[in-house]
Each structure stands twice: as structure tokens, then as C-alpha cells.
Amino acid sequence: MIVDGDQGITVTNDGATIVQNLEVQHQIAKLFVELSQAQDDEIGDGTTGVVVLAGGLLEEAEKLLSKGIHPIRIAEGFEKACDVAVKTLEKVSDKIDVSEKNLTNLYKTAETTLSSKIINRFRKNMAKISVDAVVSVCDWERRDVNFEHIKIEGKVGGKLE
């Protein structure tokens, strides 16, 4: 629950919403807010995860600094670790076919992500609605979606059944 300066109350478990409502002064905290916003703008999810990950990296960097290791060396180490992680992900990942003519994997992925949500009971229907909305504004040549073109509307008394 967040109470703003005008006594407005926001109740959420959404990391992006929480971070957006923070009034931060510290420069590192401001970077975390920007990091979270960039994650939300680019991917639309994972804002809490990137802040937790960045916080963990910062904590480890602080330990290394206290041992006298130069910041440049720490940054180089993080970059090498990133390279190793990317190579490992490339080895263990699977290529999934997704095209305008084959949306099966998108529907399955959307269903999986909706399985833990409140709407679990309606996940097949919601997966179809979600994927169809994204595909309708997808630029297949660039393999990109402008989420500004997707609008979500709630309808009072509306049902999914």
C-alpha cells in the first residue's frame, strides 16, 4: 500500500507501480527507478526482478570494493560473467517457431504465464484474446510490437464466461 503526498492510496503488488510511486533522492536509487522503468517499457514485466538482481550485483560490488578491488576490475568481472551467462543461455535454450501463420507457441506461452494469475480459470480465452491483440499490431518484419497500440478496457458487469 502506497500513500502519496495528497493522501491518495494505491494498493498493488506490481513492482513497476511501486517503484514509479517512490520519491527517491539518492542517485543510485534513482538509477534503480530508471532501470525498472526501462524494463517495464521494453518488456512490460520483470521490473521487480531487475531491481532485485541489480541490488544483488551492487551488494556484491560493495563487498569487492571493501577488499580494495578497483571499480573498473569489478565492472570487467561483471561483463565477463554476463558473457558466460549469455553463452550458457544460448546452449540450453530452444528455438521456438513463431510466425504469422503459426501462433500455437504464443498461445501456449500466454496460457502458461496466466496459470498463476487470478484469471487462471479463463486462461485459454484470455491467452487467445491477448495473443490476438498483440499479433494485430505486430510488425513481423522488425519482429517488434508497439504496446502503445494496445488498449485494455474494463467493462462493469462484464464476464469472461
Side-chain angles (χ1 to χ4, degrees), residues 90-160:
E90 287 171 352
K91 282 183 199 172
V92 301
S93 64
D94 295 323
K95 294 255 184 220
I96 305 296
D97 180 43
V98 175
S99 67
E100 284 181 89
K101 294 176 175 65
N102 182 5
L103 301 176
T104 305
N105 289 318
L106 287 178
Y107 290 124
K108 288 179 182 177
T109 302
E111 279 185 50
T112 300
T113 61
L114 295 170
S115 293
S116 65
K117 306 292 181 192
I118 295 170
I119 58 171
N120 180 31
R121 207 171 90 197
F122 307 105
R123 71 179 178 272
K124 279 194 185 302
N125 192 18
M126 287 303 296
K128 180 161 179 26
I129 291 168
S130 302
V131 170
D132 291 349
V134 170
V135 167
S136 72
V137 296
C138 179
D139 182 341
W140 287 100
E141 272 184 38
R142 290 182 35 226
R143 299 190 67 79
D144 189 38
V145 175
N146 182 347
F147 290 104
E148 298 293 320
H149 295 157
I150 298 174
K151 183 178 178 184
I152 300 171
E153 289 184 8
K155 296 195 176 185
V156 177
K159 293 184 178 182
L160 291 172

Side-chain angles (χ1 to χ4, degrees), residues 3-160:
V3 180
D4 64 25
D6 298 328
Q7 300 304 308
I9 297 174
T10 303
V11 178
T12 183
N13 68 348
D14 178 47
T17 303
I18 293 168
V19 171
Q20 283 174 350
N21 283 289
L22 294 176
E23 293 179 17
V24 295
Q25 302 301 318
H26 195 279
Q27 290 303 313
I28 299 299
K30 287 180 182 180
L31 287 174
F32 275 46
V33 171
E34 289 177 20
L35 175 66
S36 174
Q37 187 63 52
Q39 177 73 14
D40 194 42
D41 291 346
E42 190 66 27
I43 307 298
D45 197 15
T47 54
T48 305
V50 297
V51 170
V52 170
L53 177 61
L57 292 171
L58 194 59
E59 186 178 351
E60 293 304 313
E62 187 177 35
K63 290 176 189 174
L64 296 171
L65 286 169
S66 71
K67 292 180 179 181
I69 299 174
H70 195 277
I72 298 289
R73 304 285 275 168
I74 296 169
E76 288 171 349
F78 284 162
E79 287 180 21
K80 285 180 183 178
C82 180
D83 291 341
V84 169
V86 168
K87 285 177 186 167
T88 302
L89 287 172
E90 287 171 352
K91 282 183 199 172
V92 301
S93 64
D94 295 323
K95 294 255 184 220
I96 305 296
D97 180 43
V98 175
S99 67
E100 284 181 89
K101 294 176 175 65
N102 182 5
L103 301 176
T104 305
N105 289 318
L106 287 178
Y107 290 124
K108 288 179 182 177
T109 302
E111 279 185 50
T112 300
T113 61
L114 295 170
S115 293
S116 65
K117 306 292 181 192
I118 295 170
I119 58 171
N120 180 31
R121 207 171 90 197
F122 307 105
R123 71 179 178 272
K124 279 194 185 302
N125 192 18
M126 287 303 296
K128 180 161 179 26
I129 291 168
S130 302
V131 170
D132 291 349
V134 170
V135 167
S136 72
V137 296
C138 179
D139 182 341
W140 287 100
E141 272 184 38
R142 290 182 35 226
R143 299 190 67 79
D144 189 38
V145 175
N146 182 347
F147 290 104
E148 298 293 320
H149 295 157
I150 298 174
K151 183 178 178 184
I152 300 171
E153 289 184 8
K155 296 195 176 185
V156 177
K159 293 184 178 182
L160 291 172

